[in-house]
């Protein structure tokens, strides 16, 4: 599976990487950017070409961008170099995540779902740290793809015991079709006394 996904995404970024790099950062990130810290360590999970992680790097955070696509991460690195920013990148399979406890100040997870990351994000964020998450919800057309689409209410439920700053299910332009698709968005802070 991972090999097939890697080839798929490498191929996409090789063919359309410039297009992806010109995409604006996710609106949910921009909406909360002013409230995020200006120092510390951030994770951009499934970073692609790094558009969102680079927003945090410009803000002053030290950003680790992880993805299975080396092609995508190379494009992210090139952009970082061109702007004289530091961006750590690593080819990493988030289907088998492991992060040290209490290491990130911010975690971004956009347009990607791997449920095994949920307990890892819970553990790896520092108390008071920010999780910003947005991805697609299952529709009748995508019902067979249980692994890649959230159930309604699922994202909120996974972090309902955190300080939820924003939680909504609405629509956003998605994928290559550029059609409006249902998404769930969450901005939540790990409680100060969270473990
Ligand atoms: C729709 S793109 C989202 C990219 C970026 N987060 C954004 O919002 O534009 C999904 C990304 O997930 C990555 N991906 C897919 N499976 C992965 C896995 N198992 N581990 C890490 N990254 C993965 C792909 O390579 C691709 O870059």
């Amino acid at each position: 599976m991972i090999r097939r996904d890697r080839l798929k995404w490498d191929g996409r970024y090789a063919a359309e990487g410039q297009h992806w790099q010109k995409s604006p950062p996710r609106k949910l990130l921009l909406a909360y950017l002013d409230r995020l810290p200006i120092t510390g360590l951030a994770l951009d999970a499934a970073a692609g070409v790094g558009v969102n992680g680079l927003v945090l790097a410009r803000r002053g955070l030290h950003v680790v961008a992880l993805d299975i696509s080396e092609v995508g991460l190379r494009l992210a690195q090139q952009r970082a170099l061109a702007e004289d920013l530091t961006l750590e990148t690593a080819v990493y399979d988030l289907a088998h995540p492991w992060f040290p406890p209490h290491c990130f100040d911010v975690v971004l997870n956009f347009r990607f779902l791997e449920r095994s990351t949920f307990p890892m994000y819970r553990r790896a964020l520092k108390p008071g740290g920010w999780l910003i998450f947005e991805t697609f919800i299952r529709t009748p057309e995508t019902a067979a793809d249980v692994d890649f689409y959230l159930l309604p209410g699922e994202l909120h439920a996974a972090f309902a015991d955190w300080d939820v700053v924003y939680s909504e299910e609405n629509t956003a332009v998605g994928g290559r079709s550029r059609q409006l698709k249902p998404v769930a968005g969450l901005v939540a802070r790990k409680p100060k006394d969270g473990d």
Side-chain angles (χ1 to χ4, degrees):
M1 182 58 134
I2 163 104
R3 186 165 181 277
R4 204 177 64 199
D5 285 349
R6 189 184 323 129
L7 290 173
K8 178 181 89 176
W9 283 102
D10 274 350
R12 273 190 195 172
Y13 291 135
E16 308 162 3
Q18 309 253 319
H19 162 77
W20 283 79
Q21 281 189 303
K22 283 187 193 137
S23 308
R26 299 291 167 200
K27 285 184 186 158
L28 187 57
L29 170 59
L30 297 181
Y32 286 89
L33 189 60
D34 287 351
R35 295 181 58 184
L36 300 181
I38 54 170
T39 59
L41 186 63
L43 169 66
D44 186 2
V49 298
V51 170
N52 301 302
L54 285 165
V55 169
L56 296 185
R58 286 182 203 112
R59 187 166 171 78
L61 286 139
H62 193 101
V63 181
V64 179
L66 303 179
D67 201 283
I68 46 163
S69 172
E70 186 179 342
V71 177
L73 292 175
R74 275 190 198 282
L75 289 168
Q77 275 293 358
Q78 284 167 12
R79 173 58 62 84
L81 273 174
E83 291 190 40
D84 206 15
L85 294 167
T86 303
L87 184 75
E88 312 281 353
T89 54
V91 174
Y92 187 96
D93 180 9
L94 285 159
H96 305 284
W98 185 88
F99 305 123
H102 299 186
C103 62
F104 295 119
D105 297 276
V106 180
V107 169
L108 304 181
N109 184 119
F110 284 109
R111 307 298 168 92
F112 173 73
L113 180 62
E114 180 51 71
R115 289 176 175 84
S116 54
T117 59
F118 289 7
M120 280 296 139
Y121 295 161
R122 292 181 64 90
R123 182 174 99 138
L125 270 159
K126 293 178 186 167
W130 292 76
L131 173 66
I132 306 187
F133 199 129
E134 185 188 80
T135 199
F136 301 109
I137 306 174
R138 190 192 294 187
T139 61
E141 297 77 51
T142 60
D145 279 336
V146 280
D147 291 347
F148 301 122
Y149 295 90
L150 290 163
L151 294 170
E154 182 181 359
L155 181 60
H156 181 95
F159 295 93
D161 57 326
W162 282 19
D163 301 329
V164 175
V165 179
Y166 166 94
S167 175
E168 259 189 50
E169 296 186 348
N170 47 33
T171 52
V173 174
R176 298 174 346 143
S177 66
R178 313 298 297 158
Q179 287 174 348
L180 281 179
K181 296 186 174 173
V183 293
L186 179 86
V187 178
R189 299 190 72 178
K190 183 166 172 174
K192 293 265 189 236
D193 57 358
D195 55 8

